[in-house]
Amino acid sequence: MNNNDVFKKLRVALQLRDEQIIEILALVDFRMEKPELNALFRAQDHPNFMECGDQVLRNFLNGLIIHLRGTKEEPKNAMDVINKNKEEVKARLFSDKPKSSGAPKTLAKKKPASNPKSREKKPAPKVQVVEKVQYKNGKK
């Protein structure tokens, strides 16, 4: 397992987006542009793949400590930060949904039928594929 794999797994486990990773790296005064960051997460056989060096991973981990725990002067609760990130991810997922073309759907509830039993489907009669056979097993 190389540094790229570790970096990818941390990104997925903590649900971090590119912008958040760049902010975390900025906490330790390590500047990295988005295209450089994307090159780290590419497949190894891709032409724009870039190997993640020890310095990049070390700075990310140090920045992650500050991001999650805070500094000695201003400590944070790590679970609060992680839960906040999860909420942001959920909010983005719901806001990024593509809108369907056509008539807008409303969330109004359908009126129930006057007789709820009338909506129930009647079971289809069973079709017997094989005829019944009587087994005698040597008895008369």
Side-chain angles (χ1 to χ4, degrees):
M1 181 177 269
N2 59 14
N3 289 346
N4 292 64
D5 295 333
V6 172
F7 206 177
K8 286 177 192 177
K9 290 187 182 293
L10 284 170
R11 177 187 187 192
V12 171
L14 297 171
Q15 296 179 348
L16 297 173
R17 299 181 71 84
D18 292 341
E19 298 83 24
Q20 291 174 319
I21 294 173
I22 291 171
E23 290 172 8
I24 289 170
L25 288 170
L27 291 173
V28 289
D29 296 329
F30 189 82
R31 306 283 180 242
M32 182 174 264
E33 298 295 323
K34 197 169 182 178
E36 292 175 306
L37 186 64
N38 287 334
L40 297 175
F41 298 124
R42 295 187 189 277
Q44 285 185 339
D45 57 346
H46 194 278
N48 293 337
F49 171 78
M50 185 172 80
E51 185 140 351
C52 180
D54 294 338
Q55 183 182 11
V56 175
L57 189 60
R58 181 182 67 239
N59 283 310
F60 174 72
L61 292 173
N62 288 334
L64 189 62
I65 291 169
I66 295 171
H67 176 71
L68 293 176
R69 290 193 212 159
T71 59
K72 288 183 180 180
E73 297 80 28
E74 297 177 28
K76 297 179 188 176
N77 184 358
M79 286 309 297
D80 291 341
V81 176
I82 292 172
N83 290 333
K84 180 183 169 192
N85 285 346
K86 284 182 182 178
E87 290 171 6
E88 288 178 7
V89 168
K90 287 180 184 177
R92 285 185 182 157
L93 286 177
F94 289 121
S95 66
D96 290 346
K97 284 187 178 177
K99 296 185 179 181
S100 62
S101 60
K105 295 180 181 179
T106 59
L107 298 176
K109 293 182 180 178
K110 294 181 180 179
K111 293 182 182 180
S114 58
N115 187 358
K117 289 185 180 180
S118 66
R119 291 189 311 179
E120 292 178 10
K121 294 182 179 179
K122 295 180 181 178
K126 292 184 179 179
V127 177
Q128 198 166 15
V129 178
V130 180
E131 61 184 57
K132 292 193 176 191
V133 179
Q134 291 182 349
Y135 297 99
K136 294 189 178 179
N137 295 335
K139 298 181 183 176
K140 290 186 179 180

